[in-house]
Amino acid sequence: MNIHNLSKDTVLKNLVTSDKGLSETEAAKRLHEYGLNEIKEVRKKSLFHRFIAQFTHFLAILLWLAAGLCLLSEYLHPGEGLVSLGIAIFGVILINAVFTFVQEYRAEKAIEALKKLLPFNVKLSRDGSTKEICAENVVPGDLVFLGEGDKVPADARLIESNYLMVNNAPLTGESDTRPRSHEAFEGDYFESPNIVFAGTHVVSGSGRAVAFATGMSTEFGKIAHLTSGVQERLSPLQKEIIKVTKIIAVIALTTGIFFFVLGTFIGRSFWHNLLFAIGITIANVPEGLLPTVTLSLAMGSQRMAKKNALIKTLTSVETLGSVTVICTDKTGTLTQNKMEVQEIWTLSDSDALRIPSPLRGEGKGGGEAWSGISPSPSSPPVKGGESYNMLMQAASLCNNAVYDNGKYKGDPTEAAILKAAREAIGDMKAERIHEIPFDSERKRMTTVYKWEVGSGKWEVKEKDLLTSTSHFLLPTSYFSFTKGALETVLPLCTDILRDNEVKAISEDDNNSLMHTYHSMMDEGLRVIAFAYKEIGDIEHRIQNTDNPPLPPFSKGGMGGFDIESDLVFLGLMGLEDPPRPEVPDAIEKCHSAGIKIIMITGDASRTAVAIAKQIGLVKNNPVVIEGHEINVMSDSDLRGKLLSDEIIFARMTPVHKMRIVTILEDEGERVAVTGDGVNDAPALKKANIGIAMGLTGTDVAREAADIVLLDDNFASIVNAIEEGRGIFENIRKFITYIFASNIPEAVPYIAYVIFNIPLPLTIMQILAVDLGTDMFPALALGAEKPARGAMRQPPRSPEEKLLNFKILGRAYLFLGPIEALAGLSGFFYVLHSGGWQWGTMLPSHEVLYMQATTACLAGIIVSQIGNVFACRSFKDSIFRLGFFSNKLVILGTAAEIILSALIIYHPWGNRIFGTAPLRADVWLLLIPFSIGLLLAEELRKYYARRYSNA
């Protein structure tokens, strides 16, 4: 079936549907027959393959080699006990693989669960009424409504279109927009303008289409193998962690080889040296680092979701922490997006009337302020009120919002305007025959209505919109109504309606109008201008011309007649959108954190400045740049303006926003940008962090963004930045914690080689720390709240690495040696108590030796308990933070103690890890080391705070 060749009626007939859509019963049958409308990820790796991959990364290969050497050594030189060590290393590989796989799987499931908070919904007609359903439930034959910002849910044939423009980039890779039309087309199917494909985006206009292919039957589904299962690129953070892990692994391997050679040089046997080399290599390998980082990011994303910021990619959590500039919209982000008409201006014979909106609760129809308002919707307007009534009619008819079931639905600005019109003159009904949609370039919209005479009143028809009432209108067949920004509407006007009379706009009229306009904007109101035009009997005029009949229409005209020229100006509406109450505090946080905020709005400059002052965004006289100025500004000039401390961009388009973001990034700034429209998608992708609006944003914007605000609130961005900063610091905290234990694990092997003593710590005991007792507290550190002063520090430099000398120095040169001292003290204390003589080697199965190595292990574990509290902050005292302020640290420490008890006192633990129960006096010796480490760190923090404040 060449569906693009068919007429509308034939399409509906062939798909067994109607102009009212399917019935719910039929839709359910087709859903069962065709299945869910979803693209299956045909190339996604199975869980088995993803699990196997955990055995083939760099660290795993290193451990495989170590295990292979142990088995080879046992084969060549039996009796050295290396077979058990090889099996133990195999166990390490398995445990690490399982742990990493589980954490990555949990992280993936967490993200999938979060994404379900923003389902892909679609509007369609079923049983003759408009409904909104999840896109996966769309079936062939469904009648789908398409509007600006929508993602097309299925391959569909248009049956109605109104300036519909579609971007086919997701399917073709071409970013240019294509006009769509519902007329039958005889050419190639893929070039047909009456076909819209699943996954493509509506850029502007509107239309209705009937779905004919869903799921894997769509063109998008047919090439799913080219778009599914593509591996995500590694983020800078992931690359850096992998790089750090490899460096440390290479250092560990090099250290092992060095001491193997050193042992050989001083006369140790080959097998002793091999045992040592394997041990010190494993001691320095950070087996649990990567999964711990993954889980930390996942936990951070879940915490941010609770704060209304949905993280689409885990690594965006950390990237937020380095943001230096936020380019934010005004409406709905800094303000509540609860529009309400506050003031209305029209021109009267006596003077310009500037009257409050009826929505303010002031009496309608009473007093001079309300001259010209009908006492009831059914009565004719009184003399002197025609300007007001025509303004309200324009507000009602040049509008795509609807009043349905007691609620106003649609764009917040249009809904507020419709509400004001209904409060003033009641409902209007008319037959709309033409529309030029609003877009960000034109900043206006125009509608055309057909009026018919009936019984002395103008009887009007509406296809599917409003109901009841009638008003006397001027005797003509067609009216056009235009609304938009004053600077785009006023130049189209030659006349102005003064009460009942149309007059040429005089200089006094213009002065009065502009004075009111500026006054409204200075109050922070969004000002909308209205105009109209009597077109006359267009059908008769067209019949006497060479122009085609209605429709189609050329943009800006009908049948060759320009409907956006020689307009009659009606008046102004001032709408208030109150600032969000939490925004001023959020802005103050950003200023303290060294983050620059730039407002980029489509509103007029005076309105933008007024709102900016209300919320504390600007305090002095900011640099204000409007769209027409940026058009003639060179990049170097714009770059200079962006250096200003306070700057606002007004009357901006998405193209302008893209240019601003590009220049900021070229200057080395890390930019977060907000957006909600289709045309915002390029800027959202270009920015370091794209932030889309979840409530008012389009599907296109949400897909392009890294983060989606579930409440459209600027304060949620600031909370997310604070969380991002905290997560980066948390990664450093548990890296410090994990790396600190490498020193007490490595020092015993060095002492074993140099001082000719029994090996103080076995490889199995090292693994008990690295993949056992250390893991729970490390994960708890990943859940630490952002530091108290996180938002009082400047943004992190992009050159600042995750690991630096301060981090490594603190772990390896300060905390680590204290733990090594604790472990060796316990080891020698037990040996000395048992009568050991220096230089005497003990067999591995002797109780004294097992107790001594257990004491060394216990010394490390006890010190790490003190260390986890020390690592909760780099500068703040634990006594200020509170020992119990992070309950997960308490739980992690409790888990560490329980696991340690099982390793030391349970027969299974003794058998697996070569341990033996310890006496109470050994614990009395070791516990002060934990306290001492914490106090030593407190002293270091004291001097760090004192030095940083100097």
Side-chain angles (χ1 to χ4, degrees):
M1 174 177 68
N2 293 324
I3 195 167
H4 62 293
N5 299 151
L6 307 179
S7 66
K8 169 185 171 179
D9 292 338
T10 308
V11 168
L12 295 175
K13 181 179 179 181
N14 286 1
L15 291 173
V16 195
T17 186
S18 71
D19 196 45
K20 295 183 178 180
L22 298 172
S23 66
E24 288 290 353
T25 303
E26 179 62 24
K29 290 180 181 177
R30 297 192 185 189
L31 184 64
H32 178 74
E33 178 182 355
Y34 294 101
L36 292 175
N37 178 33
E38 60 183 4
I39 303 297
K40 296 180 174 59
E41 298 182 82
V42 295
R43 288 185 59 191
K44 188 173 183 179
K45 287 184 178 179
S46 67
L47 290 178
F48 174 76
H49 285 94
R50 292 161 67 190
F51 178 66
I52 294 299
Q54 305 300 330
F55 295 90
T56 57
H57 58 76
F58 182 81
L59 289 179
I61 292 173
L62 195 63
L63 293 174
W64 280 116
L65 291 174
L69 285 174
C70 289
L71 297 180
L72 179 63
S73 300
E74 181 66 22
Y75 175 76
L76 296 175
H77 197 277
E80 294 292 333
L82 290 176
V83 66
S84 58
L85 177 58
I87 294 173
I89 295 175
F90 284 138
V92 171
I93 298 171
L94 178 62
I95 292 171
N96 190 48
V98 170
F99 183 80
T100 304
F101 172 76
V102 169
Q103 301 313 328
E104 289 182 354
Y105 180 77
R106 286 183 60 191
E108 180 183 291
K109 289 300 178 184
I111 293 299
E112 288 180 4
L114 291 175
K115 287 182 178 179
K116 290 179 181 178
L117 294 174
L118 290 172
F120 170 24
N121 291 335
V122 60
K123 288 182 180 179
L124 46 71
S125 178
R126 282 187 181 172
D127 290 321
S129 60
T130 302
K131 298 183 178 181
E132 185 170 312
I133 67 170
C134 185
E136 66 180 13
N137 294 320
V138 172
V139 297
D142 264 328
L143 194 62
V144 179
F145 295 97
L146 300 174
E148 180 179 342
D150 289 345
K151 183 167 76 171
V152 180
D155 287 357
R157 162 65 198 273
L158 287 168
I159 60 172
E160 286 183 13
S161 60
N162 182 40
Y163 286 116
L164 189 65
M165 302 288 286
V166 175
N167 187 329
N168 286 334
L171 190 67
T172 66
E174 298 178 6
S175 59
D176 58 319
T177 56
R178 301 293 180 88
R180 303 285 94 177
S181 169
H182 61 276
E183 301 297 329
F185 182 73
E186 295 298 329
D188 182 70
Y189 167 78
F190 288 101
E191 297 297 325
S192 176
N194 60 29
I195 300 295
V196 287
F197 296 102
T200 59
H201 304 126
V202 178
V203 176
S204 63
S206 60
R208 291 197 304 163
V210 57
F212 61 83
T214 60
M216 297 303 290
S217 298
T218 64
E219 296 302 322
F220 204 91
K222 293 174 183 177
I223 60 170
H225 65 283
L226 297 177
T227 57
S228 299
V230 177
Q231 291 185 350
E232 294 183 358
R233 293 179 298 172
L234 295 176
S235 72
L237 175 65
Q238 290 172 315
K239 291 178 181 177
E240 189 173 349
I241 291 172
I242 293 173
K243 181 180 178 181
V244 167
T245 304
K246 288 183 177 181
I247 290 173
I248 293 174
V250 169
I251 291 173
L253 186 60
T254 304
T255 304
I257 294 173
F258 172 77
F259 280 100
F260 178 85
V261 174
L262 179 62
T264 302
F265 179 75
I266 63 175
R268 292 271 185 177
S269 70
F270 172 84
W271 305 110
H272 280 94
N273 290 332
L274 179 62
L275 177 67
F276 168 77
I278 294 172
I280 201 167
T281 299
I282 293 176
N284 283 283
V285 170
E287 296 94 347
L289 178 60
L290 202 55
T292 306
V293 170
T294 302
L295 184 60
S296 177
L297 293 173
M299 293 169 67
S301 68
Q302 290 173 332
R303 288 196 301 271
M304 291 170 73
K306 294 177 182 178
K307 297 179 180 179
N308 295 310
L310 173 62
I311 309 299
K312 292 174 62 180
T313 55
L314 285 180
T315 50
S316 298
V317 179
E318 181 275 331
T319 307
L320 262 176
S322 63
V323 164
T324 60
V325 177
I326 301 174
C327 295
T328 178
D329 295 327
K330 177 182 71 67
T331 303
T333 308
L334 298 175
T335 61
Q336 298 180 29
N337 206 24
K338 294 180 179 178
M339 290 290 184
E340 186 171 300
V341 176
Q342 294 293 341
E343 295 191 10
I344 300 168
W345 179 92
T346 59
L347 200 60
S348 70
D349 283 326
S350 57
D351 197 359
L353 284 179
R354 185 176 174 188
I355 52 182
S357 163
L359 297 179
R360 280 184 149 170
E362 303 180 27
K364 180 171 112 176
E368 185 177 350
W370 290 107
S371 71
I373 299 178
S374 306
S376 68
S378 60
S379 62
V382 298
K383 183 177 180 180
E386 191 63 40
S387 300
Y388 183 85
N389 283 329
M390 282 299 293
L391 172 62
M392 287 304 182
Q393 289 167 0
S396 178
L397 297 176
C398 189
N399 202 315
N400 285 326
V402 296
Y403 182 70
D404 184 33
N405 294 324
K407 294 182 180 180
Y408 292 91
K409 299 179 181 180
D411 176 80
T413 300
E414 292 208 316
I417 292 173
L418 178 62
K419 183 178 181 182
R422 291 188 71 255
E423 290 284 334
I425 62 173
D427 289 320
M428 297 290 295
K429 54 179 181 176
E431 181 182 355
R432 181 183 295 188
I433 63 169
H434 185 52
E435 175 187 346
I436 305 176
F438 175 88
D439 66 51
S440 57
E441 296 290 338
R442 290 170 12 93
K443 296 188 184 302
R444 65 179 182 270
M445 72 173 290
T446 296
T447 57
V448 179
Y449 285 85
K450 181 179 180 180
W451 305 83
E452 297 177 359
V453 179
S455 304
K457 297 181 180 179
W458 296 114
E459 180 181 333
V460 291
K461 299 178 181 179
E462 170 58 39
K463 288 182 177 178
D464 54 11
L465 198 55
L466 306 174
T467 59
S468 100
T469 211
S470 59
H471 278 285
F472 290 103
L473 296 171
L474 301 178
T476 182
S477 298
Y478 291 90
F479 270 80
S480 72
F481 299 97
T482 300
K483 81 168 187 291
L486 180 66
E487 63 266 29
T488 70
V489 173
L490 187 58
L492 305 177
C493 300
T494 56
D495 301 312
I496 189 168
L497 183 63
R498 181 192 292 267
D499 293 327
N500 294 326
E501 189 174 355
V502 175
K503 296 183 177 181
I505 299 177
S506 67
E507 185 176 349
D508 289 341
D509 295 337
N510 190 72
N511 291 338
S512 176
L513 190 160
M514 296 307 296
H515 173 75
T516 303
Y517 176 58
H518 291 152
S519 177
M520 285 184 177
M521 289 193 296
D522 288 342
E523 294 176 13
L525 301 182
R526 170 179 284 186
V527 185
I528 306 295
F530 293 85
Y532 81 100
K533 181 176 183 176
E534 297 180 46
I535 304 174
D537 189 354
I538 292 295
E539 290 175 332
H540 173 74
R541 292 165 67 184
I542 288 177
Q543 289 172 1
N544 295 287
T545 69
D546 294 330
N547 294 300
L550 299 170
F553 310 119
S554 60
K555 190 164 187 177
M558 296 181 7
F561 297 103
D562 189 354
I563 59 175
E564 286 189 336
S565 66
D566 300 325
L567 303 183
V568 179
F569 192 84
L570 288 173
L572 303 172
M573 274 191 182
L575 295 92
E576 181 183 47
D577 184 11
R580 292 181 181 270
E582 59 273 29
V583 164
D585 287 340
I587 288 175
E588 182 60 33
K589 267 189 177 182
C590 285
H591 289 160
S592 299
I595 300 171
K596 185 176 183 178
I597 303 173
I598 299 175
M599 181 193 290
I600 304 178
T601 178
D603 263 348
S605 56
R606 287 175 178 256
T607 301
V609 171
I611 293 295
K613 288 183 176 179
Q614 289 181 38
I615 61 178
L617 179 58
V618 299
K619 297 180 180 178
N620 302 309
N621 294 320
V623 174
V624 180
I625 300 176
E626 293 200 345
H628 65 89
E629 297 174 302
I630 202 173
N631 288 335
V632 297
M633 193 177 290
S634 67
D635 284 352
S636 60
D637 289 341
L638 180 56
R639 190 173 288 110
K641 295 289 186 182
L642 285 168
L643 295 176
S644 305
D645 292 333
E646 296 180 346
I647 185 168
I648 292 174
F649 291 93
R651 293 303 190 200
M652 291 289 117
T653 67
V655 174
H656 296 143
K657 182 185 290 188
M658 178 68 172
R659 185 181 174 196
I660 293 166
V661 171
T662 301
I663 290 178
L664 285 169
E665 290 190 345
D666 289 344
E667 289 298 297
E669 303 287 358
R670 280 143 291 153
V671 185
V673 62
T674 66
D676 55 10
V678 177
N679 293 331
D680 286 325
L684 291 172
K685 287 185 176 181
K686 174 67 176 173
N688 300 101
I689 289 289
I691 303 172
M693 304 297 108
L695 296 177
T696 59
T698 61
D699 294 326
V700 183
R702 288 198 291 260
E703 287 191 3
D706 303 291
I707 295 174
V708 178
L709 296 185
L710 301 180
D711 60 354
D712 292 8
N713 194 336
F714 180 82
S716 297
I717 301 175
V718 181
N719 291 335
I721 290 175
E722 185 173 14
E723 191 70 46
R725 289 188 174 190
I727 285 174
F728 185 82
E729 291 303 306
N730 287 348
I731 293 173
R732 282 182 159 179
K733 288 171 187 176
F734 64 65
I735 283 178
T736 303
Y737 175 80
I738 290 172
F739 283 13
S741 65
N742 286 351
I743 297 299
E745 292 171 352
V747 166
Y749 281 85
I750 297 172
Y752 166 71
V753 171
I754 296 176
F755 299 114
N756 195 30
I757 60 174
L759 182 62
L761 194 68
T762 68
I763 295 175
M764 289 300 297
Q765 290 164 354
I766 290 174
L767 300 180
V769 173
D770 288 353
L771 292 176
T773 59
D774 266 7
M775 293 309 298
F776 299 107
L779 293 176
L781 286 174
E784 193 72 36
K785 293 180 180 179
R788 185 166 45 90
M791 293 299 284
R792 291 197 294 271
Q793 301 294 326
R796 187 180 74 254
S797 168
E799 303 301 321
E800 185 177 350
K801 302 300 182 183
L802 186 64
L803 278 181
N804 54 32
F805 179 77
K806 287 184 179 180
I807 302 296
L808 291 176
R810 184 183 177 211
Y812 284 165
L813 303 179
F814 184 69
L815 299 172
I818 296 175
E819 295 190 14
L821 180 62
L824 290 178
S825 296
F827 176 74
F828 286 116
Y829 175 78
V830 171
L831 287 182
H832 178 73
S833 301
W836 174 77
Q837 297 296 318
W838 192 275
T840 305
M841 302 303 293
L842 300 174
S844 60
H845 59 273
E846 186 171 324
V847 174
L848 178 62
Y849 175 72
M850 289 191 293
Q851 286 180 331
T853 59
T854 303
C856 184
L857 171 65
I860 297 173
I861 293 172
V862 167
S863 299
Q864 283 288 77
I865 291 176
N867 189 26
V868 72
F869 289 98
C871 288
R872 285 188 58 196
S873 173
F874 291 102
K875 289 186 177 180
D876 289 337
S877 169
I878 185 62
F879 298 101
R880 166 167 281 185
L881 292 175
F883 282 91
F884 301 98
S885 56
N886 185 344
K887 293 181 174 57
L888 288 179
V889 167
I890 302 300
L891 293 174
T893 302
E896 182 179 21
I897 293 172
I898 292 171
L899 184 57
S900 302
L902 292 174
I903 291 171
I904 296 173
Y905 291 102
H906 196 280
W908 288 0
N910 297 157
R911 188 178 306 114
I912 295 171
F913 296 101
T915 57
L918 297 177
R919 304 184 308 271
D921 59 317
V922 178
W923 292 108
L924 292 175
L925 171 72
L926 298 176
I927 290 174
F929 281 99
S930 179
I931 299 172
L933 182 147
L934 187 58
L935 294 177
E937 176 65 4
E938 285 293 307
L939 186 63
R940 185 203 65 80
K941 290 177 181 178
Y942 169 76
Y943 282 107
R945 291 193 300 271
R946 184 176 179 182
Y947 177 77
S948 62
N949 293 330

